[in-house]
Amino acid sequence: MKFRNLLRVSISIGIIALIVAAPLFGYVSRKSMVTGGKMVVDKWAASSFPITWRMNPTRSPNVSGTGDFASAFRQAFQAWSSISTASITFAEGQPTAASVKPGLDQINLITTNLTPSEWAVYGADAMSLTNVTSSTITGQIIEADILFNPNVGFSTEATTPPNLIDLQAVATHEIGHLLGLDHTPLASAVMFPLAAGNTLSRTLTADDTIGVSTLYPTAAFAARGSIDGTVRTTTNAGVFGAIVVAVAANGQPMATTVTDPDGKYSIAGLPAGSYTLFAEPMDGPFTENNFLIPLSSLYPSKTVSINFTTRFR
């Protein structure tokens, strides 16, 4: 029991209609307040890799398609472990018993095998969610379970039929949460929280890969450049909660971040090149409540500024 008191269980709600999820620094990493009031980045210890995941082998009836749903999960994990600038490895463990449910049990579970009543316990209006358990002292992630809503129709097909959701794309999003990523304000990224129809992506963007590489950098990634600065008003006051996007010379958005209460930002891990920056207000479709922990909770005495127009530099 004493050990459990040192752990925090949080829910990362993926690709949802009502969204919750955290910021500052790029792209965006999960953050929490630990014992003593210190803000930390939640991530796995280097000794945790390879992270072993196990699948509940029971395929829920709301998952259709001729494709093997286990293959969809394997390919989703492979997408993240294939990032050359991140030290990430996974190991697939033996399937669990069909009776295994999410819980603090030293199993990193991925499952579609939930009843509607079991899902209702989480109170989430979402396609999926990731339960992350981390230390309240260090923020180190101890365990994570990925769950799929039994009330949502998923598909394993390469081309997702109308009115169904791509299982592999959603799994890819949730594995980002498992690794410690929060939602990102960049709409093209896998870790963006809002989905338009069935056009979810299985393909990681630069924002996704740079973000997770910041958490688990290789030496090559650590040698890349960064852009730091401050977003200010015309009266020279720092702008809190501005979305800052770095755009490459070819027009591709590379990475995004959110300014701190002083208006400061840092985007690390950028390849050599010329970049244009723009800052925009967090006034929709992405707002501070799209973070796992809203900015107002991390900084109770501060208010996110949205009373400015988009600026380029």
Side-chain angles (χ1 to χ4, degrees):
M1 291 302 292
K2 289 183 179 180
F3 180 66
R4 287 188 65 103
N5 290 338
L6 299 178
L7 301 180
R8 171 193 293 108
V9 178
S10 60
I11 296 176
S12 299
I13 300 180
I15 317 193
I16 54 186
L18 299 175
I19 305 147
V20 286
L24 285 74
F25 247 120
Y27 353 85
V28 171
S29 57
R30 174 200 298 273
K31 294 174 178 62
S32 62
M33 303 298 290
V34 296
T35 303
K38 181 182 178 181
M39 186 188 303
V40 297
V41 174
D42 294 347
K43 65 178 189 177
W44 296 84
S47 59
S48 299
F49 292 95
I51 298 171
T52 299
W53 62 275
R54 298 175 63 185
M55 180 188 68
N56 185 308
T58 300
R59 176 169 170 159
S60 176
N62 64 310
V63 179
S64 62
T66 57
D68 177 17
F69 83 138
S71 295
F73 296 150
R74 293 186 189 108
Q75 292 178 61
F77 279 103
Q78 180 66 28
W80 291 100
S81 62
S82 295
I83 299 171
S84 62
T85 54
S87 298
I88 298 171
T89 53
F90 295 106
E92 181 180 357
Q94 289 296 315
T96 68
S99 59
V100 170
K101 301 295 181 180
L104 187 57
D105 53 9
Q106 298 184 323
I107 296 174
N108 299 307
L109 179 69
I110 185 165
T111 182
T112 65
N113 187 24
L114 294 172
T115 65
S117 60
E118 289 170 334
W119 176 266
V121 170
Y122 297 95
D125 183 8
M127 299 178 189
S128 56
L129 62 83
T130 301
N131 252 357
V132 176
T133 303
S134 60
S135 167
T136 60
I137 297 176
T138 64
Q140 178 181 326
I141 298 175
I142 307 299
E143 183 182 312
D145 295 334
I146 296 175
L147 297 64
F148 294 84
N149 189 338
N151 304 301
V152 174
F154 294 99
S155 172
T156 62
E157 298 290 356
T159 300
T160 306
N163 303 318
L164 294 179
I165 303 299
D166 184 353
L167 183 71
Q168 182 177 327
V170 177
T172 305
H173 177 99
E174 293 301 338
I175 294 165
H177 286 316
L178 175 148
L179 287 167
L181 288 179
D182 204 324
H183 291 137
T184 176
L186 193 61
S188 59
V190 164
M191 296 311 297
F192 185 71
L194 297 172
N198 294 336
T199 56
L200 307 178
S201 179
R202 304 176 178 183
T203 305
L204 301 177
T205 66
D207 186 75
D208 300 307
T209 61
I210 291 174
V212 80
S213 297
T214 301
L215 296 177
Y216 312 104
T218 62
F221 180 82
R224 285 186 174 187
S226 63
I227 299 176
D228 305 272
T230 304
V231 177
R232 301 182 185 277
T233 65
T234 54
T235 60
N236 209 36
V239 176
F240 176 38
I243 298 171
V244 180
V245 182
V247 182
N250 62 1
Q252 178 188 2
M254 291 295 291
T256 186
T257 191
V258 177
T259 57
D260 71 9
D262 296 321
K264 296 179 180 180
Y265 64 87
S266 179
I267 301 177
L270 293 171
S274 298
Y275 294 89
T276 298
L277 296 179
F278 70 85
E280 62 181 357
M282 200 182 299
D283 57 358
F286 192 98
T287 70
E288 71 156 313
N289 288 326
N290 293 134
F291 288 122
L292 291 174
I293 303 177
L295 295 178
S296 56
S297 296
L298 291 173
Y299 301 96
S301 62
K302 304 295 182 179
T303 302
V304 170
S305 176
I306 60 173
N307 295 318
F308 67 97
T309 56
T310 300
R311 292 287 187 269
F312 289 83
R313 180 181 178 183

